[in-house]
Amino acid sequence: MAIEHDFFGLLESGPDGSIFWSENVEFGDQSVTVDLTAPDQDDVSVEALDVAAAMISALESIDLAARNAMVGELDSRTSEVTEYILQQQATLGEEIDDLLIDPSGDTHIDVIKSMQLMSVTILADEHGGTDPFAVLEYALDPDATDDVLLVNLASDGSVQSVTSAD
């Protein structure tokens, strides 16, 4: 079976009924991997695909909302964002300055501004549910694939949580 969609084209299901779509999307001066997946195509609605397409088309505003959520987490010393930044400072030492774009002197804000959006995973079967519909993966150092922050979005685009990959 397959699902036809204006944005995604023909989404054919695998032998187990799952669907998967992947594309590199140009975002600013970088390329971001966007994956759409669902374990069972019967759980994916056209509305979910429409929302996913809208999110991909609005990646710049989605990214801004995610970064603003990270900034909002800085008030808590025990937040995942604060812990991530402290860990990056401890690991990189003065080399962290080489990764910061347009430093302002506020290292925490500079790290958030300098993080790269590495990938977006859309869990199309989670539309309207309580689990994340989209997961944005950010890294300060794109070569450090284990040192990432994940921003979980609901299908309405609101930020549900910011977590580390640990």
Side-chain angles (χ1 to χ4, degrees):
M1 289 187 54
I3 301 172
E4 181 76 31
H5 190 267
D6 290 342
F7 185 88
F8 298 104
L10 186 64
L11 295 169
E12 294 191 45
S13 61
D16 60 354
S18 65
I19 60 170
F20 183 79
W21 176 90
S22 185
E23 191 77 32
N24 285 329
V25 175
E26 294 306 311
F27 175 68
D29 61 350
Q30 67 179 12
S31 182
V32 177
T33 302
V34 179
D35 296 327
L36 178 129
T37 184
D40 186 348
Q41 94 167 23
D42 293 337
D43 294 336
V44 178
S45 67
V46 172
E47 184 179 319
L49 295 176
D50 290 345
V51 169
M55 281 186 168
I56 295 167
S57 297
L59 201 51
E60 190 171 322
S61 62
I62 297 287
D63 174 62
L64 181 60
R67 290 177 195 270
N68 285 337
M70 286 186 233
V71 170
E73 298 272 322
L74 292 176
D75 290 340
S76 171
R77 175 93 169 107
T78 59
S79 76
E80 299 271 349
V81 176
T82 302
E83 302 243 341
Y84 175 86
I85 293 169
L86 294 174
Q87 184 263 334
Q88 292 297 302
Q89 288 176 306
T91 302
L92 297 169
E94 290 185 19
E95 292 176 21
I96 197 169
D97 293 338
D98 297 336
L99 298 172
L100 300 180
I101 55 170
D102 194 28
S104 68
D106 184 338
T107 304
H108 287 68
I109 297 293
D110 292 343
V111 167
I112 292 171
K113 284 190 327 190
S114 301
M115 293 178 76
Q116 292 184 33
L117 177 57
M118 304 302 293
S119 68
V120 177
T121 302
I122 298 172
L123 308 163
D125 59 319
E126 296 298 339
H127 180 260
T130 57
D131 288 336
F133 179 72
V135 180
L136 285 65
E137 180 181 310
Y138 289 89
L140 180 60
D141 180 358
D143 296 328
T145 56
D146 291 337
D147 293 331
V148 298
L149 278 177
L150 304 173
V151 178
N152 299 305
L153 303 178
S155 52
D156 66 0
S158 63
V159 175
Q160 291 179 310
S161 64
V162 180
T163 61
S164 63
D166 299 343

